[in-house]
Amino acid sequence: MKPVLVFDWNGTLLDDAYALLQATNAILDRFGHATIDMKTFREHCDVPLSLLYRSLGMSHEEIETVDRDGSAIFHDTYEPLAGKADLREGARRVLELAYREAASSIIVSNHIVDPLRSQLRRLGVNDYINDVLAFESRTTQYKSMSKGERLRLYMQKNNLKPASTFIIGDMPVETDIARNLGLISISITGGFVSDSRLRAAHPDYTISNHHELLPILQRHGFFGMHKS
């Protein structure tokens, strides 16, 4: 039996926390609010991003303006910044290994499929990813089904076994999805939320980079021939 690796994208595989911080600060500055540092960002970051903006003091009207036209203000600021971001440490190695071992690597994201696939091609890892489960367009982002429901239906359709499915993410939502679906949860620090918020969700494992994934997979009986 091969493992299934379910990765979040932003902050987990893609090292774009600073890109999102810069985009957030551009929006705050546009509406006359004080900009924030990374520590503050990680204490407040939430999805949908309207929750983040609200917690940073933006008004309902300001948030509605940002949300207008498929959140064009955000995407037009964020995408060029994300286009310069690299993969997180060890991510390429894990994806290559999973591919060689014929394990499945799936991305489940709150991002949008086309720009996400474009990033995978830019970074040279598109061929390692079996499927991308994400929103169809800017206009449906956060409006159609949730990440957890999308993954549940995918697992049902493809007869994936929860006991050999690992979900790796940088926010508490991935731990919640794991708990709901019976998956093994791995939180990675250094993404969009603080270490304390990650720990409070009680994931099965916590790592600081993707190199630390391999010993966990080996502990569960996978990839046993490779040294960590």
Side-chain angles (χ1 to χ4, degrees):
M1 186 169 57
K2 302 290 185 181
V4 177
L5 307 181
V6 178
F7 293 96
D8 172 54
W9 174 241
N10 303 99
T12 298
L13 286 176
L14 186 67
D15 192 5
D16 62 339
Y18 280 93
L20 186 56
L21 173 63
Q22 285 178 267
T24 302
N25 276 334
I27 288 169
L28 289 170
D29 185 62
R30 178 178 178 137
F31 291 98
H33 294 277
T35 56
I36 58 172
D37 60 13
M38 181 59 83
K39 184 175 185 295
T40 305
F41 170 77
R42 285 180 169 144
E43 286 301 330
H44 289 270
C45 190
D46 208 342
V47 289
L49 290 174
S50 56
L51 297 175
L52 167 64
Y53 305 145
R54 175 57 56 86
S55 72
L56 295 174
M58 287 179 62
S59 69
H60 179 72
E61 291 74 19
E62 289 168 342
I63 294 168
E64 276 194 338
T65 301
V66 175
D67 284 344
R68 203 169 294 146
D69 301 322
S71 300
I73 292 172
F74 167 77
H75 287 288
D76 291 349
T77 307
Y78 165 81
E79 294 296 349
L81 297 167
K84 298 172 186 172
D86 203 348
L87 292 171
R88 291 201 54 180
E89 184 185 347
R92 186 180 306 275
R93 176 172 173 256
V94 165
L95 293 173
E96 287 172 348
L97 176 58
Y99 182 76
R100 287 204 310 270
E101 293 279 331
S104 294
S105 293
I106 298 159
I107 291 175
V108 178
S109 176
N110 279 321
H111 203 46
I112 298 159
V113 173
D114 285 348
L116 203 164
R117 279 286 187 190
S118 177
Q119 295 279 26
L120 291 172
R121 289 189 291 271
R122 173 181 71 85
L123 293 160
V125 293
N126 189 55
D127 291 346
Y128 301 146
I129 303 298
N130 296 75
D131 277 300
V132 172
L133 311 182
F135 288 104
E136 304 79 14
S137 68
R138 290 184 180 188
T139 51
T140 62
Q141 194 175 24
Y142 299 116
K143 294 182 175 68
S144 56
M145 73 177 72
S146 68
K147 285 172 69 169
E149 180 66 4
R150 207 180 293 273
L151 179 58
R152 185 187 71 78
L153 292 173
Y154 181 88
M155 291 185 68
Q156 191 176 60
K157 179 182 175 184
N158 292 279
N159 196 29
L160 302 182
K161 306 302 180 197
S164 56
T165 301
F166 300 76
I167 186 167
I168 303 99
D170 68 316
M171 297 184 79
V173 63
E174 285 86 32
T175 302
D176 294 340
I177 291 169
R179 196 167 287 122
N180 289 338
L181 299 182
L183 317 181
I184 301 154
S185 58
I186 302 172
S187 286
I188 185 165
T189 61
F192 287 178
V193 306
S194 64
D195 296 5
S196 60
R197 289 178 64 195
L198 282 180
R199 283 195 301 272
H202 303 294
D204 296 314
Y205 301 95
T206 303
I207 60 175
S208 59
N209 62 66
H210 288 278
H211 293 303
E212 296 171 11
L213 257 181
L214 189 52
I216 295 170
L217 295 170
Q218 290 172 331
R219 202 174 306 165
H220 286 265
F222 302 111
F223 302 170
M225 298 298 292
H226 299 269
K227 294 179 180 177
S228 59

